[in-house]
């Protein structure tokens, strides 16, 4: 990163040097992209450490969100976590505790604490070097170790976990397709600002009658809006709903495959 690939050597304690040291020559010989422009700032600047800690915290936050998704799906038996990343319960024999994922989730808070901690240290310092800056080492080195460990654990969980199709299908609910019901009328030429309320009325009717929304009859739907027709029954097909969303980032198989292909291409850049 050129912005941080700048050599501070030759800045002295705070005001540069009086011996004609060629800082640009030193930077080139050491493989830097350039030199820091201000000697006073060079000796106290820790932006590169703070930025790493913040990126580290952000990465751990995303891993934490991923871990929570997997923990929930593990609880619902939608996926099976490999025994290498889980332990049995001390009380309940049937329970599989997702220990590795819980640890991943916990590391996000620690990572954020490191980033905030060093930033809080820096905010009260005058320019030039102060001994307080020694505190950046522990935070930085611990964060590097945490990054490596978290990525290794996340990778292991991903490559070894197995989906449970039967339980995933069981978790589906017709109410998930309420937006598809609104989209059905949009395809009939009705503005979405209207179909949203119409679909909501259908959900409310199903709740009042304590039935699943997909069991409402055509007659009941037409009492809410006469533009419903017999083909409305096609709305209650989960696979059709998924495949309709073919836009970039959507859920259709082609859209998902595109995301997978792009990620593989992105990762291959780092194999060179």
């Amino acid at each position: 990163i050129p912005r941080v690939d700048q050599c501070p050597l030759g800045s002295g304690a705070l005001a540069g040097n009086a011996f004609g040291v060629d800082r640009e020559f030193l930077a080139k010989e050491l493989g830097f992209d350039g030199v820091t422009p201000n000697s006073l700032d060079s000796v106290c600047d820790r932006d590169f450490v703070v930025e790493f800690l913040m990126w580290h915290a952000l990465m751990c936050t995303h891993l934490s969100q991923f871990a929570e998704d997997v923990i929930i799906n593990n609880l619902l038996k939608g996926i099976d976590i490999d025994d290498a990343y889980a332990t049995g319960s001390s009380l309940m024999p049937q329970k599989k505790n997702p220990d590795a994922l819980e640890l991943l989730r916990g590391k996000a808070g620690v990572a954020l604490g490191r980033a905030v901690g060093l930033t809080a240290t820096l905010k009260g310092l005058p320019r030039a070097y102060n001994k307080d800056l020694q505190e950046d080492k522990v935070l930085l080195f611990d964060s590097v170790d945490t990054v490596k460990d978290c990525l290794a654990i996340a990778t292991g969980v991903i490559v070894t976990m197995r989906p449970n199709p039967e339980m995933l299908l069981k978790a589906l609910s017709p109410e998930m397709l309420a937006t598809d019901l609104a989209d059905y009328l949009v395809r009939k030429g009705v503005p979405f600002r209207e179909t949203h309320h119409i679909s909501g009325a259908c959900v409310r009717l199903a709740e009042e009658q304590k039935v699943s929304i997909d069991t409402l009859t055509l007659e009941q739907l037409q009492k809410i809006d006469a533009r419903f027709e017999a083909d409305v029954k096609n709305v209650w097909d989960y696979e059709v709903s998924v495949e309709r969303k073919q836009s970039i980032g959507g859920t259709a198989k082609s859209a998902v495959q595109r995301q997978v292909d792009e990620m593989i291409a992105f990762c291959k850049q780092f194999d060179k």
Side-chain angles (χ1 to χ4, degrees):
I1 304 175
R3 181 170 55 80
V4 296
D5 190 16
Q6 306 297 307
C7 180
L9 195 61
S11 296
L14 77 164
N17 71 85
F19 297 96
V21 173
D22 188 340
R23 294 188 61 206
E24 291 182 327
F25 172 79
L26 288 175
K28 183 177 180 181
E29 288 296 299
L30 294 172
F32 284 92
D33 191 61
V35 299
T36 54
N38 183 284
S39 294
L40 185 64
D41 183 66
S42 297
V43 297
C44 68
D45 176 71
R46 292 298 183 275
D47 287 3
F48 62 98
V49 179
V50 174
E51 287 185 18
F52 179 86
L53 295 180
M54 288 182 172
W55 283 115
H56 156 248
L58 185 59
M59 186 204 73
C60 285
T61 298
H62 286 300
L63 287 178
S64 177
Q65 292 175 316
F66 159 76
E68 180 62 11
D69 284 339
V70 178
I71 288 170
I72 292 172
N73 276 284
N74 173 69
L75 180 65
L76 298 175
K77 306 299 183 184
I79 59 172
D80 292 323
I81 300 174
D82 191 85
D83 288 345
Y85 299 96
T87 61
S89 169
S90 59
L91 178 64
M92 296 170 284
Q94 83 284 2
K95 191 170 184 288
K96 181 183 283 190
N97 293 320
D99 289 356
L101 292 161
E102 291 174 358
L103 292 171
L104 275 182
R105 192 174 57 186
K107 288 299 182 183
V110 176
L112 181 59
R114 290 185 183 126
V116 173
L118 182 58
T119 306
T121 297
L122 294 174
K123 79 169 185 61
L125 299 183
R127 308 307 291 171
Y129 184 75
N130 297 271
K131 284 290 184 181
D132 313 52
L133 294 173
Q134 291 183 136
E135 296 301 322
D136 68 345
K137 309 299 185 299
V138 173
L139 298 173
L140 177 61
F141 298 156
D142 283 352
S143 294
V144 171
D145 291 339
T146 299
V147 166
K148 291 179 179 178
D149 292 342
C150 286
L151 287 174
I153 291 170
T155 300
V157 170
I158 291 170
V159 300
T160 59
M161 69 181 182
R162 298 171 300 280
N164 188 336
E166 290 183 4
M167 295 303 293
L168 289 170
L169 287 171
K170 188 177 178 180
L172 295 175
S173 166
E175 283 68 30
M176 293 177 174
L177 302 175
T179 303
D180 293 76
L181 188 62
D183 291 346
Y184 165 85
L185 288 175
V186 169
R187 292 187 179 90
K188 300 285 186 182
V190 186
F192 185 78
R193 62 179 177 274
E194 292 182 36
T195 68
H196 180 274
H197 296 293
I198 295 169
S199 179
C202 296
V203 172
R204 186 163 53 253
L205 176 61
E207 290 175 347
E208 290 172 353
Q209 301 211 353
K210 301 188 186 309
V211 298
S212 177
I213 190 172
D214 63 329
T215 63
L216 294 177
T217 66
L218 178 59
E219 182 181 2
Q220 288 174 309
L221 293 174
Q222 288 179 333
K223 284 182 179 179
I224 295 173
D225 193 284
R227 289 167 289 194
F228 282 116
E229 298 177 12
D231 61 345
V232 69
K233 66 179 183 299
N234 298 327
V235 166
W236 313 115
D237 186 315
Y238 297 110
E239 189 163 351
V240 169
S241 174
V242 167
E243 287 301 318
R244 278 201 179 110
K245 298 171 180 65
Q246 297 185 9
S247 59
I248 295 175
T251 55
K253 292 177 182 176
S254 59
V256 173
Q257 188 60 53
R258 176 174 178 173
Q259 294 175 63
V260 172
D261 293 342
E262 289 177 350
M263 184 54 63
I264 291 174
F266 174 76
C267 292
K268 282 184 177 179
Q269 297 178 80
F270 304 101
D271 291 336
K272 297 176 181 178

